[in-house]
Amino acid sequence: MHSSNGPTLLGPRYFKVANAIREDLVRGEFQPGQRLKTNELATRYGTGSNTVREALQQLNGEGWIILAPNRGAVVRPLTRKVIVDIYEMREALEVCTARSFVENASNNDIRELSEIQDRFEEAAQQGDTIECSVLNGNFHRFINQCAGNEEITKIIDNYGRLMSSIRRYVGYGRARADRVISDHRLLIEAFRDRDADRAASITSEHLRVSCEDILANYLTDVDHVAGSFVSDAVGA
Amino acid sequence: MHSSNGPTLLGPRYFKVANAIREDLVRGEFQPGQRLKTNELATRYGTGSNTVREALQQLNGEGWIILAPNRGAVVRPLTRKVIVDIYEMREALEVCTARSFVENASNNDIRELSEIQDRFEEAAQQGDTIECSVLNGNFHRFINQCAGNEEITKIIDNYGRLMSSIRRYVGYGRARADRVISDHRLLIEAFRDRDADRAASITSEHLRVSCEDILANYLTDVDHVAGSFVSDAVGA
DNA sequence: AAGTGGTCTAGACCACCTT
DNA sequence: AGGTGGTCTAGACCACTTA
């Protein structure tokens, strides 16, 4: 081991390239619909085209780009329809995990969940939107993992980065944070009561409203890519 | 163009390699839990290791293998839990598409669906289990596509080959075919009545029973891989 | 301290599109 | 035909695992 700068620093090269491309997508460096050519990307990130290809396959699975055989990659335009579709899928799956959580979670799990929620509320109190975003992710991920369906967890995790990037794009206003807080509280309560139906309907409603909130703050006509930096966050 | 033997015959090489590996998995050439080494596969299929890697990424997304960075690929053991998880996911998503179908499908779509069903019943009548399997797939895929959520369609299609391989493994008995037929009929009827709740509950029940049927015919203790050929099909 | 096997690069190859 | 860019190969490289 060589002193301290970390052994591999984030694993294989194609991970780093995938991260770099994701960041550039969020920064708006690539336009929706734009073709991503392997050789260009290879020079850009100082790597071989084959490594880029692996990164692109990753991003394809995560919904960022569209990959066609013998055609290459295109930046996926994030139309309102795409956002609705993704949220609808997520709703279907998370309603399912919410039900399983009711069955499978130990009292300890529920306690742990409400600790995440406490930290979330604290972050919201201080207007720390980035932390809010992280903890909100943790909250849902914790439920999904306790639910115990690895297939579903894998799928939702795959889309996680894209979804939180969309969320970051429209911002996380005070009003939204308040709504999230009360939804989460109701959900925890339903878990405590071991009421699967209530947990399911709260989850369903929660995600539906979240999606509507995003669409309301989303630009209407033009197609978008995941980010294009957002300056103001709270109080949007 | 060179006469007639087909231009590229199934697209890029990594598709063919992916197909070949899938077939070998179904044939039981690789044991569950077995490591799949890129170089071995490369020699086996007469290709480069990089091409193999791309094929493996594909198979990873389809649930056939488990891929870990710097670790390589392992044949995924198809435990009962994995099957249950996949079916649960599928149920969550297809209940959703069944509902959307009720909203979005034209009368013509419903007519087309029931034509697929007619051909399915015909194949069942003749004991043609392979054709049954295909048409059953078409039936559900048609519903999913009409539902209009591309994200969900993509996910279910991804798992399609694995699921039909599992189905092929346990066989498609007379009793099962009858049950499928009556379920499908009820579903079409619910669609005709534009009754989303009924369509949802039929779909849910349909998949749940299908999963139980598979588990009942599945060997109990040992972990399995997707195929290991099945000789008898009807009347299991 | 090798060895094994995943990862990466450079350049050739070839599918597809344009002229 | 020619060009562009996706695909593929051979071999070097390097992370991780054995002793």
Side-chain angles (χ1 to χ4, degrees), chain B residues 87-101:
Chain B
Y87 263 85
E88 192 176 62
M89 170 210 71
R90 193 182 157 192
E91 183 191 326
L93 295 178
E94 295 208 6
V95 162
C96 176
T97 56
R99 295 199 117 95
S100 302
F101 185 92

Side-chain angles (χ1 to χ4, degrees), chain B residues 119-184:
Chain B
R119 273 181 285 149
F120 177 85
E121 296 191 11
E122 207 174 314
Q125 193 67 24
Q126 304 174 346
D128 186 345
T129 48
I130 294 171
E131 186 69 3
C132 272
S133 212
V134 171
L135 287 167
N136 182 49
N138 290 353
F139 184 89
H140 288 285
R141 199 171 312 114
F142 184 81
I143 295 172
N144 293 332
Q145 271 167 4
C146 286
N149 187 320
E150 289 174 44
E151 227 59 44
I152 293 179
T153 305
K154 217 192 301 173
I155 293 170
I156 298 178
D157 280 354
N158 261 351
Y159 283 88
R161 270 182 282 230
L162 179 61
M163 286 194 294
S164 67
S165 154
I166 294 171
R167 175 44 81 190
R168 211 178 314 126
Y169 176 74
V170 304
Y172 212 136
R174 190 29 135 208
R176 178 67 200 145
D178 286 347
R179 171 68 199 245
V180 171
I181 286 174
S182 72
D183 278 0
H184 284 190

Side-chain angles (χ1 to χ4, degrees), chain A residues 57-69:
Chain A
Q57 287 223 204
Q58 190 101 15
L59 298 180
N60 180 51
E62 295 174 8
W64 296 86
I65 63 173
I66 296 164
L67 211 50

